[in-house]
Amino acid sequence: MPVVVDPDQVKVAELLKALPPGSHAMDTFERLETWLDQRDEEYAVVLGPNLSLDAALTLSDQMRTQRPTIGVVLIRQAVDTDVLTRAMHAGVREVVSDGDMAAIGAALDRAHEVWIALRGSAPAPTLGKVLTVFSPKGGVGKTTVSVNLALALAADASRKVCLVDMDLAFGDVAITLQLFPTHSIEHLIGSESTLDFGLVHSMLTPHESGLMVLAAPSLPDARDRVTGALVTRVIKALQEHFDYIVVDSAPTFDEQTLTALDGTDECVIVATLDVPTLKNVRVALDTLDMLSIALDHRHLLLNRADDQVGLGADKVESILGMEVAARMVTSMEIAAATNAGQPIVVSSPDHESSKVIRALATRLTGEVLDHDASSTAGSRRFRIRR
Ligand SMILES: Nc1ncnc2c1ncn2[C@@H]1O[C@H](COP(=O)(O)OP(=O)(O)O)[C@@H](O)[C@H]1O
Ligand SMILES: [Mg+2]
């Protein structure tokens, strides 16, 4: 897919209209780099007219050697010999005049042809799916949902599932699962460029269910040393090995959370039925829109969605402008199960909330999770049917 880079939102919107559906937009080169690190299907980068020529050419020059399969298409207000010569030297594939949508389309078609030819017939590696659970509010149930979702998926031993605690300062995934990790993402700090799956694997803590966990640092101050680049590399390495990577997140748009969200395949947004939370979720959705994050891949989960509070699902849908994908009521059993270290999908697979979680998992992954009530074998009491 093509990726557009331009700091001007209006220009981006205009360009996206002319580009194939599924094209993405980035406002900075940093975000472009992160994005390209995580994707294999991008074949062209369109550099918009509001980028400085020098910056655009420097990027093109780097891409020529680092990402030679991706064609750079440069859009300029004025195309003269000087621009063309410099662009050619920097490895720009095509220079197009701003507003000439037909020429941009043709340039992208050619970039696609080159990309297919260069890629050859090597099969694309199958990467695990990243499922991120996010909310701008704390205490709304992100960790509860992440942990149960991961356990529901891991219930079938044939699925390799990793749960990543990206609430780096106050993460409580490990304690929720009664794990005592000796290693965490903290031990990967500084290994951005050398990191591979073997290294990440040695930082994981196994749970008795078969689920693997990448724990948050034990002390909050380590958060600031976990860079966006590290988050990207870690998730990418995990994708090479696991079928599903469930990411629990912090209730902020910090660099690490944004990076994880940027690379996510599906995003579960958790909200509760109170006006301050809904307001914050609304603002967060606008931010996700602006950054083109998980468009068409967002799933709203209403937690503590009890009827008594006065705000119905229809009201929420109209406030947030998205349909409710799942509803979980307040239940002491959910909290008690978590406190006992046996989250609800494991301790009570027949509980209504366990069914909600499995239905959500099906929606996110396309897999049907079959609960086999007749079997009582420990934590493997339900199966996923492919
Ligand atoms: N539907 C629910 N019913 C009862 N308790 C819940 C429910 N969802 C979450 N909780 C409890 O609320 C608290 C906060 O949930 P948690 O998942 O840690 O939120 P977050 O990760 O968003 O901060 C936990 O004690 C959890 O057990
Ligand atoms: Mg949490």
Side-chain angles (χ1 to χ4, degrees):
M1 280 295 125
V3 187
V4 179
V5 190
D6 196 289
D8 178 11
Q9 289 297 315
V10 178
K11 178 51 76 185
V12 162
E14 181 193 314
L15 285 169
L16 279 179
K17 265 191 223 141
L19 264 45
S23 302
H24 284 86
M26 306 285 141
D27 51 355
T28 64
F29 290 150
E30 289 73 33
R31 292 196 61 233
L32 174 71
E33 289 287 337
T34 309
W35 181 263
L36 295 179
D37 278 344
Q38 292 168 350
R39 307 278 148 163
D40 295 314
E41 68 276 17
E42 312 303 21
Y43 59 84
V45 166
V46 178
L47 299 177
N50 298 301
L51 293 165
S52 88
L53 183 61
D54 285 343
L57 296 183
T58 304
L59 178 86
S60 175
D61 201 28
Q62 285 163 3
M63 288 194 45
R64 172 173 41 184
T65 49
Q66 287 166 14
R67 306 183 197 273
T69 55
I70 302 179
V72 174
V73 176
L74 179 66
I75 301 181
R76 290 286 100 184
Q77 228 113 50
V79 180
D80 56 25
T81 334
D82 176 51
V83 169
L84 285 174
T85 314
R86 289 182 61 196
M88 197 176 72
H89 290 158
V92 171
R93 206 69 75 65
E94 312 225 6
V95 184
V96 180
S97 294
D98 188 19
D100 190 347
M101 294 307 181
I104 295 173
L108 290 176
D109 287 345
R110 286 188 286 269
H112 191 226
E113 279 169 21
V114 173
W115 179 73
I116 288 182
L118 288 176
R119 218 172 50 137
S121 54
T126 0
L127 292 178
K129 235 179 172 185
V130 183
L131 318 172
T132 306
V133 180
F134 176 74
S135 177
K137 280 287 252 192
V140 293
K142 289 180 296 300
T143 302
T144 305
V145 172
S146 313
V147 166
N148 279 288
L149 183 62
L151 285 170
L153 286 166
D156 185 320
S158 69
R159 306 268 79 194
K160 287 185 276 181
V161 186
C162 183
L163 174 57
V164 177
D165 196 344
M166 208 50 88
D167 187 352
L168 296 171
F170 303 107
D172 41 19
V173 165
I175 198 145
T176 299
L177 289 169
Q178 294 192 339
L179 296 174
F180 302 95
T182 50
H183 291 89
S184 76
I185 193 167
E186 182 179 0
H187 299 93
L188 296 170
I189 290 170
S191 55
E192 281 86 343
S193 53
T194 53
L195 180 147
D196 60 6
F197 177 70
L199 182 61
V200 180
H201 188 253
S202 63
M203 303 299 158
L204 302 180
T205 310
H207 181 255
E208 59 187 19
S209 61
L211 175 69
M212 297 297 268
V213 173
L214 181 58
S218 50
L219 294 173
D221 61 346
R223 171 182 53 185
D224 303 334
R225 290 181 287 124
V226 175
T227 60
L230 180 62
V231 171
T232 302
R233 303 272 172 209
V234 167
I235 292 180
K236 207 170 178 198
L238 292 172
Q239 279 182 284
E240 285 165 18
H241 180 78
F242 289 97
D243 299 306
Y244 295 108
I245 297 101
V246 178
V247 181
D248 186 16
S249 59
T252 52
F253 276 125
D254 55 24
E255 188 193 357
Q256 300 91 345
T257 304
L258 267 180
T259 309
L261 283 168
D262 225 358
T264 202
D265 291 295
E266 305 295 331
C267 180
V268 179
I269 294 153
V270 184
T272 46
L273 287 175
D274 55 288
V275 172
T277 299
L278 291 173
K279 188 213 93 190
N280 285 355
V281 170
R282 176 69 264 168
V283 173
L285 287 174
D286 290 343
T287 310
L288 296 180
D289 280 348
M290 220 165 64
L291 301 172
S292 310
I293 286 173
L295 281 169
D296 304 326
H297 295 274
R298 298 180 194 162
H299 313 265
L300 177 63
L301 180 141
L302 288 187
N303 192 15
R304 299 178 180 280
D306 311 299
D307 294 333
Q308 303 91 315
V309 293
L311 276 170
D314 344 343
K315 189 83 187 282
V316 173
E317 288 183 341
S318 75
I319 294 173
L320 299 183
M322 67 188 290
E323 60 149 340
V324 174
R327 302 173 61 150
M328 222 158 70
V329 296
T330 303
S331 158
M332 277 322 291
E333 285 159 282
I334 297 177
T338 303
N339 289 339
Q342 292 288 312
I344 195 92
V345 293
V346 173
S347 58
S348 308
D350 283 325
H351 193 277
E352 200 46 47
S353 304
S354 302
K355 293 180 191 164
V356 170
I357 293 284
R358 288 199 298 275
L360 177 68
T362 299
R363 185 187 166 111
L364 299 172
T365 64
E367 310 243 20
V368 180
L369 278 71
D370 238 0
H371 169 216
D372 182 354
S374 61
S375 156
T376 52
S379 57
R380 300 206 188 287
R381 279 182 280 185
F382 39 87
R383 293 195 312 267
I384 308 172
R385 190 175 61 217
R386 271 179 195 259

